[in-house]
Amino acid sequence: RTRSAQTAKQWYQRRVRGNSSLMRRPSFITVLVLIACFALLYVLQSDTVFLGSKSISLHETTPTEDSTVTNKDTTLSNNDTISNRERSLDERFNRYRVDDIDLHDLEFLDNYYRYNYKEVELQVKQRMENIRKVCKMRDTNYYNLYQFNEFGISWCPIFKSGSSTWRNYFQDRLGVGDGEYHLKHIKNRLLDRPNVSPGRRTLYLKESPTNLRITLTRDPLSRLISHVRNAAKDYEMVAMKDLWIREAIIMSRDVRNATLDPLFKNELDQYFTWLEHKRPGGEFSWTEGNPYLTPPYPTLQDLVTFIIRTKTINGHWTPGVTFCNVCLHQFDYIIKLEEEPLELWYLVEQLGLWDDRAVLLNRANTSSKKLSEKELRKNYLRSLSTDQREWINKYFEADFELFGYKKLRV
C-alpha cells in the first residue's frame, strides 16, 4: 500500500512538471502565430506600405519650391498622404511598363522615383561604368556638344531620342528663336574647337571645366521607326523630299513594267507638289499599281535600303556613339529615353533642374516600353529582310554594346 502511494505521488509530480514544461516551451506553431499577429499589428499601426521587398512612406511627397533634395537616402515628407493609387504602385506602375501612367501626375511620379531611387542610380552608374570599360578611345570627327555654361551643362543631341525636348528647353531658357525651334538658333553654343588639356578629358575653348556632359539615347530600331513615321507627315514629306525620301522610294521599290516607270515617277512628283500646296481639292488620284505611291510615304524598308546603298550620313540615323563621340567626350550622364520618367528624374536632380522636370519629360516619346510600341516594332521588323536586320545590328553595333540594347533577331 505504501509503495502504491509513493508510485501515485511520483506519477502526480511528473504530470505537474510535464504541464509546467509545456507552459514554459510553447510549440513552434504557437510561436509563428504570435509573430504573425505582432507583425500584422505593426503594419496596421504604421504609416508604411510594403510592396514586395520594398516599402514607401505614406508621407513621401515631391519637393516644393521651399525644399530641395539633399539626402537621397531619406524620405521627403509633409502632411499630405499618397492616394489609394500609390498604395498599389507595383500593380499600376510596373518598373518596365508605363502603359497606364498619367505622365502629368507629378506627385505620383515623384513618389515612384523616390521608391526606385537606389535602383535607378545603380542602373545609370552601371551603364556609365560599362561605357568606360568597353569604350575604345577613338576620334570619330564628330563634335556635337553644345555648351550652356550658365546651367553647368554640355549637351549632345542624339536625334529621335528626345533631343527636340531639350533643344526647346534650352531655347526657351535663353530666349532665342522667336518661337521657331531649331538647332541653328543655338549654333553659337556648339563646341567645335577642341583644346586638349591635362585634365580628366578633352575640353573645348568655350566650355566650363565644371560642366556636366549629358545626352539621351534610344534603342536604334526605335530611332529608325520614329524617323520613318515622322517622315510620313506632309510637311516632312515636302521638306525631306530631295534629301532622301524621293530617292529612297524609287530605289527600294520594284517596277514590274519598266515602260510605266516614267509615268509612275511623274505621278510621284505630282503627289509631292500636291502635298506642298496643302492638298488642294482634298484628293489625289494615281494609276493603280504605282509602286511609288503604294504606300504614298517612305517605309522602314525604304529607309534602310537607302542608307545601305548610298551610305548617306544624317544625324537622324547616325549611331549615337558616333554622333556624340561618346568615347572621346567621356559623358557624366547618359540616360535612356525608354527609362523616362525615372532616369530623367534622376538626371534633372543631378543637374539642379528639379523644378523643370515636367517641362523636360518627353511625354510624346516616353513610350518605348508600351505594349503598343512593342507590337509596332514587331510589325516593322516583319518588313525587313534578314540581310537588313544583320546590317542594322552591324551598323549600330557600338550603340547596342555601349548603351545596353538587345540586337535584332536574324
Side-chain angles (χ1 to χ4, degrees):
R1 188 178 300 149
T2 302
R3 185 178 303 161
S4 298
Q6 291 176 347
T7 302
K9 182 178 181 180
Q10 290 174 355
W11 174 85
Y12 176 75
Q13 290 176 345
R14 284 198 302 270
R15 183 164 185 178
V16 172
R17 283 198 300 269
N19 289 338
S20 299
S21 177
L22 288 174
M23 292 299 292
R24 288 195 301 270
R25 294 194 300 271
S27 69
F28 179 71
I29 296 178
T30 304
V31 173
L32 288 181
V33 171
L34 289 173
I35 293 175
C37 291
F38 281 116
L40 179 61
L41 182 62
Y42 172 78
V43 171
L44 293 176
Q45 292 181 346
S46 68
D47 288 332
T48 303
V49 175
F50 290 85
L51 300 172
S53 61
K54 301 179 182 179
S55 63
I56 180 171
S57 169
L58 291 178
H59 295 301
E60 280 188 341
T61 185
T62 175
T64 62
E65 294 181 357
D66 299 326
S67 64
T68 58
V69 181
T70 57
N71 187 342
K72 302 177 182 61
D73 292 327
T74 60
T75 58
L76 305 170
S77 62
N78 64 5
N79 293 327
D80 296 331
T81 60
I82 301 176
S83 65
N84 290 333
R85 284 182 307 173
E86 284 76 288
R87 292 178 181 270
S88 56
L89 290 173
D90 280 346
E91 289 78 10
R92 295 199 66 257
F93 195 169
N94 182 280
R95 178 66 182 79
Y96 298 101
R97 280 184 57 189
V98 291
D99 299 54
D100 305 321
I101 299 307
D102 181 1
L103 294 176
H104 296 273
D105 190 343
L106 288 184
E107 181 183 2
F108 176 81
L109 297 179
D110 291 344
N111 280 305
Y112 197 76
Y113 168 61
R114 290 299 158 203
Y115 172 70
N116 279 291
Y117 176 82
K118 290 185 178 180
E119 180 183 353
V120 175
E121 181 183 44
L122 179 61
Q123 182 170 276
V124 174
K125 287 183 177 180
Q126 287 179 337
R127 181 180 308 129
M128 301 312 299
E129 182 62 25
N130 177 66
I131 290 173
R132 282 187 282 271
K133 288 181 178 179
V134 177
C135 243
K136 296 178 181 179
M137 293 304 295
R138 63 184 186 275
D139 190 343
T140 61
N141 295 319
Y142 281 82
Y143 302 96
N144 295 302
L145 270 179
Y146 292 76
Q147 63 82 11
F148 302 95
N149 293 337
E150 54 269 76
F151 309 134
I153 298 172
S154 293
W155 165 72
C156 178
I158 297 180
F159 299 151
K160 313 313 298 180
S161 301
S163 59
S164 297
T165 300
W166 284 81
R167 176 202 63 200
N168 298 352
Y169 172 77
F170 288 128
Q171 280 194 223
D172 289 341
R173 288 290 301 272
L174 297 171
V176 298
D178 294 328
E180 179 189 24
Y181 294 104
H182 196 280
L183 285 175
K184 66 183 180 182
H185 296 299
I186 53 175
K187 187 176 181 180
N188 63 316
R189 301 289 181 137
L190 184 62
L191 299 169
D192 58 356
R193 296 184 62 190
N195 177 28
V196 179
S197 67
R200 66 186 178 94
R201 61 186 176 187
T202 299
L203 294 177
Y204 291 82
L205 294 180
K206 296 180 181 179
E207 183 184 22
S208 169
T210 60
N211 278 9
L212 294 174
R213 290 180 178 176
I214 67 168
T215 189
L216 285 77
T217 186
R218 190 180 189 183
D219 181 276
L221 178 62
S222 295
R223 287 182 60 202
L224 294 176
I225 292 175
S226 176
H227 185 52
V228 164
R229 297 188 70 191
N230 192 60
K233 299 175 181 178
D234 288 3
Y235 66 88
E236 286 291 338
M237 287 280 289
V238 174
M240 299 295 170
K241 168 195 169 186
D242 296 326
L243 290 178
W244 71 275
I245 292 180
R246 182 182 184 278
E247 186 177 356
I249 289 175
I250 293 175
M251 180 182 297
S252 175
R253 305 181 189 183
D254 295 326
V255 178
R256 297 180 179 179
N257 189 342
T259 59
L260 294 177
D261 188 61
L263 171 64
F264 291 157
K265 289 180 179 177
N266 183 56
E267 289 181 345
L268 176 63
D269 290 334
Q270 291 178 5
Y271 179 73
F272 280 114
T273 301
W274 181 68
L275 293 179
E276 186 176 1
H277 289 87
K278 312 297 184 183
R279 296 175 175 252
E283 294 184 1
F284 182 85
S285 300
W286 62 82
T287 303
E288 183 178 357
N290 185 341
Y292 303 143
L293 290 170
T294 312
Y297 50 80
T299 66
L300 180 60
Q301 190 175 29
D302 296 334
L303 174 61
V304 173
T305 300
F306 174 79
I307 301 173
I308 293 174
R309 294 186 183 180
T310 66
K311 296 180 173 57
T312 300
I313 297 175
N314 186 298
H316 290 89
W317 57 72
T318 298
V321 171
T322 301
F323 190 76
C324 287
N325 212 336
V326 169
C327 291
L328 176 69
H329 288 151
Q330 301 178 40
F331 285 82
D332 295 284
Y333 299 103
I334 296 177
I335 69 169
K336 291 183 177 182
L337 186 68
E338 294 88 347
E339 298 297 340
E340 289 192 8
L342 294 180
E343 286 195 3
L344 174 65
W345 261 223
Y346 175 76
L347 178 61
V348 297
E349 188 174 351
Q350 311 311 309
L351 299 177
L353 301 178
W354 180 262
D355 290 342
D356 296 327
R357 64 196 182 284
V359 178
L360 290 167
L361 178 58
N362 193 317
R363 295 184 175 90
N365 289 329
T366 305
S367 58
S368 296
K369 291 295 179 181
K370 283 187 177 181
L371 294 179
S372 58
E373 179 150 337
K374 288 183 179 180
E375 291 300 320
L376 185 67
R377 285 169 60 92
K378 289 180 181 179
N379 293 334
Y380 274 100
L381 275 174
R382 294 190 189 102
S383 70
L384 298 178
S385 67
T386 299
D387 290 342
Q388 289 176 324
R389 296 187 189 190
E390 290 178 344
W391 176 85
I392 290 176
N393 285 340
K394 184 176 181 180
Y395 184 70
F396 290 101
E397 185 174 11
D399 282 20
F400 286 120
E401 186 176 11
L402 268 69
F403 299 146
Y405 291 109
K406 292 182 180 180
K407 290 186 176 181
L408 307 183
R409 292 183 179 180
V410 296

